[in-house]
């Protein structure tokens, strides 16, 4: 592997000159920069990242831990993180916790051992269920900043990026009430995580405020057959007129099940779900969605972390950035 020293010797310049030329320093003339880069390309020179990180005490790498790689929302957040990190010259290393507390701890310990300068993560389901946060606090004590997004641990002092989960379901439920819907059900398969609970509270508040409507909640567990559970619920609870779904799969299945049972959507029943544009494009009729703007969440998370990493030693208050959701009306509502 060719080194800076070898390039400098062949060009008859100092190692410092070669380094500055490769980094486009204004101190070096255009002709010298051109000669250095041509020779570097000829020998396929690549900077030694390990040596650079030891010299600068920086890896220029961000560790990202997400609970589920198959979740389209999380994949889009990851896209936003990578795009923003790349703009600032950072690489990312991604680990998947698979909703496991043990894997989450393992990923933090593995990457905190000199591999990354900070973390962006969404808390695993098991961590939230057990209210386990010490592994996050210990990582921050090591001098590695953390930014949490979507599912966050409120007991951990760090920057956070969330959406207005409570307001989103509150406003969506109000919109169905304004349509004249009387029997509105809240369906969720994310009952054990913070965002699922916030969304249910928003629904409950809107129902309670009417003073006459009854809250109907269908909680679906991992082991359940979602389609069977929703179909059974529809049959037991006649004349359901509205659905608020806390997640995309529950919303899509609720819509399809209603159609399969002979209900006309949206004449007989309206359906709203937290889902993406691509989700709505694959339903008939097109699903009315609550959009979370996943890529924007990723961008803000990366911005917060990079700002924190570039200002180490500077006392700054922790920030919580709230991304406003959008209710996109399509053909599954009036």
């Amino acid at each position: 592997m060719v080194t800076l020293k070898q390039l400098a010797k062949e060009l008859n310049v100092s190692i410092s000159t070669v380094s500055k030329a490769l980094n486009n320093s204004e101190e070096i003339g255009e002709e010298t920069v051109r000669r250095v880069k041509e020779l570097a390309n000829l020998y396929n020179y690549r900077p030694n990242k390990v040596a650079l990180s030891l010299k600068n005490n920086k890896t220029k790498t961000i560790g990202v831990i997400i609970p589920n790689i198959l979740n389209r929302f999380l994949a889009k957040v990851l896209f936003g993180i990578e795009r923003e990190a790349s703009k600032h010259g950072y690489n990312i290393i991604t680990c998947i916790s698979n909703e496991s507390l043990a894997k989450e701890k393992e990923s933090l310990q593995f990457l905190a051992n000199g591999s990354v300068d900070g973390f962006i993560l969404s808390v695993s389901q098991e961590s939230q269920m057990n209210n386990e946060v010490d592994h996050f606090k210990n990582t921050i004590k090591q001098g590695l900043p953390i930014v949490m997004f979507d599912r966050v641990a409120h007991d951990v002092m760090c920057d956070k990026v969330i959406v207005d989960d409570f307001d989103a379901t509150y406003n969506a439920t109000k919109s169905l009430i304004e349509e004249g819907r009387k029997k509105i059900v809240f369906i969720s398969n994310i009952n054990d995580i913070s965002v699922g609970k916030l969304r249910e509270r928003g629904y409950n508040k809107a129902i309670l405020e009417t003073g006459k409507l009854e809250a109907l909640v269908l909680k679906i567990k991992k082991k359940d057959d979602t389609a069977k559970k929703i179909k059974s619920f529809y049959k037991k609870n006649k004349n359901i007129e509205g659905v608020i779904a806390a997640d995309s799969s529950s919303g899509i299945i609720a819509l399809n099940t209603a159609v399969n049972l002979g209900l006309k959507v949206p004449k007989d029943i309206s359906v709203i779900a937290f889902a993406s544009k691509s989700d709505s494009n694959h339903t008939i009729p097109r699903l009315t969605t609550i959009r979370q703007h996943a890529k924007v969440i990723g961008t803000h998370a990366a911005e917060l972390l990079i700002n924190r990493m570039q200002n180490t030693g500077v006392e700054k208050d922790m920030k919580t950035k709230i991304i406003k959701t959008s209710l996109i009306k399509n053909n599954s509502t009036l």
Side-chain angles (χ1 to χ4, degrees):
M1 227 173 108
V2 72
T3 64
L4 285 177
K5 188 176 181 180
Q6 289 168 292
L7 292 175
K9 186 178 179 182
E10 192 159 330
L11 290 163
N12 198 27
V13 295
S14 69
I15 293 171
S16 171
T17 297
V18 173
S19 176
K20 288 177 180 178
L22 289 171
N23 286 292
N24 299 313
S25 170
E26 292 179 0
E27 296 175 38
I28 309 300
E30 285 182 20
E31 178 60 21
T32 304
V33 170
R34 184 189 62 76
R35 287 175 59 227
V36 168
K37 288 190 174 180
E38 278 183 2
L39 190 64
N41 286 335
L42 179 67
Y43 287 130
N44 197 28
Y45 168 77
R46 294 289 179 271
N48 186 325
K49 298 219 170 189
V50 174
L52 280 171
S53 67
L54 288 170
K55 180 185 174 184
N56 302 323
N57 201 25
K58 298 287 180 188
T59 66
K60 294 291 280 185
T61 304
I62 294 168
V64 182
I65 305 174
I66 59 174
N68 179 1
I69 193 61
L70 299 176
N71 183 300
R72 188 181 281 118
F73 165 74
L74 293 172
K76 285 185 176 180
V77 174
L78 185 60
F79 178 92
I81 292 169
E82 196 283 329
R83 183 175 58 185
E84 187 63 24
S86 184
K87 281 183 194 174
H88 295 272
Y90 283 83
N91 294 308
I92 67 168
I93 297 176
T94 307
C95 291
I96 318 300
S97 70
N98 282 328
E99 305 290 10
S100 160
L101 170 60
K103 287 203 78 171
E104 190 172 72
K105 285 181 176 180
E106 189 182 295
S107 297
L108 278 170
Q109 287 168 2
F110 170 68
L111 294 176
N113 194 21
S115 298
V116 300
D117 299 330
F119 289 93
I120 298 173
L121 59 88
S122 184
V123 181
S124 71
Q125 182 176 349
E126 194 175 357
S127 293
Q128 290 208 318
M129 287 175 71
N130 296 326
N131 197 28
E132 281 271 357
V133 296
D134 285 348
H135 52 306
F136 302 128
K137 291 179 178 179
N138 292 336
T139 300
I140 293 167
K141 280 178 189 172
Q142 284 180 249
L144 291 165
I146 290 177
V147 173
M148 294 181 177
F149 71 89
D150 191 46
R151 308 180 199 172
V152 302
H154 294 290
D155 294 340
V156 178
M157 291 294 290
C158 68
D159 296 313
K160 301 175 179 81
V161 185
I162 58 175
V163 299
D164 57 339
D165 289 292
F166 180 93
D167 288 342
T169 41
Y170 173 79
N171 292 327
T173 307
K174 291 279 281 185
S175 76
L176 293 191
I177 293 166
E178 285 163 10
E179 282 186 15
R181 305 299 185 179
K182 306 293 182 196
K183 213 168 179 181
I184 303 166
V185 59
F186 176 81
I187 304 176
S188 171
N189 70 8
I190 52 170
N191 320 296
D192 296 320
I193 60 176
S194 55
V195 292
K197 291 171 182 174
L198 282 168
R199 291 169 192 180
E200 185 180 344
R201 285 177 202 154
Y203 159 82
N204 281 327
K205 186 189 178 190
I207 294 294
L208 192 63
E209 281 181 352
T210 66
K212 53 188 177 183
L213 298 187
E214 179 190 353
L216 291 167
V217 176
L218 175 60
K219 294 183 179 182
I220 296 164
K221 296 175 184 174
K222 274 188 177 179
K223 62 180 182 180
D224 293 336
D225 181 321
T226 304
K228 279 185 180 177
K229 191 109 186 216
I230 292 174
K231 187 175 182 180
S232 173
F233 186 87
Y234 281 162
K235 286 185 173 179
K236 284 179 185 174
N237 297 270
K238 301 294 183 185
N239 304 318
I240 294 288
E241 297 175 351
V243 174
I244 301 289
D247 57 279
S248 59
S249 62
S250 294
I252 292 166
I253 294 169
L255 173 59
N256 290 340
T257 303
V259 171
N260 291 338
L261 288 172
L263 296 171
K264 289 183 172 60
V265 181
K267 184 182 176 184
D268 300 326
I269 185 170
S270 287
V271 182
I272 299 175
F274 278 82
S276 66
K277 183 179 179 180
S278 55
D279 289 325
S280 65
N281 286 341
H282 289 91
T283 61
I284 301 173
R286 286 185 68 204
L287 182 63
T288 289
T289 59
I290 300 168
R291 300 268 177 84
Q292 299 173 78
H293 310 296
K295 292 174 190 173
V296 176
I297 292 170
T299 297
H300 282 290
E303 281 176 350
L304 282 171
L305 183 65
I306 291 165
N307 185 262
R308 186 70 60 184
M309 292 188 302
Q310 291 178 345
N311 292 280
T312 50
V314 180
E315 284 292 325
K316 281 188 167 186
D317 289 339
M318 298 301 168
K319 293 180 181 176
T320 296
K321 178 77 180 173
I322 301 173
I323 308 298
K324 289 286 182 187
T325 53
S326 304
L327 181 61
I328 308 298
K329 293 283 188 91
N330 284 316
N331 302 328
S332 68
T333 50
L334 291 173

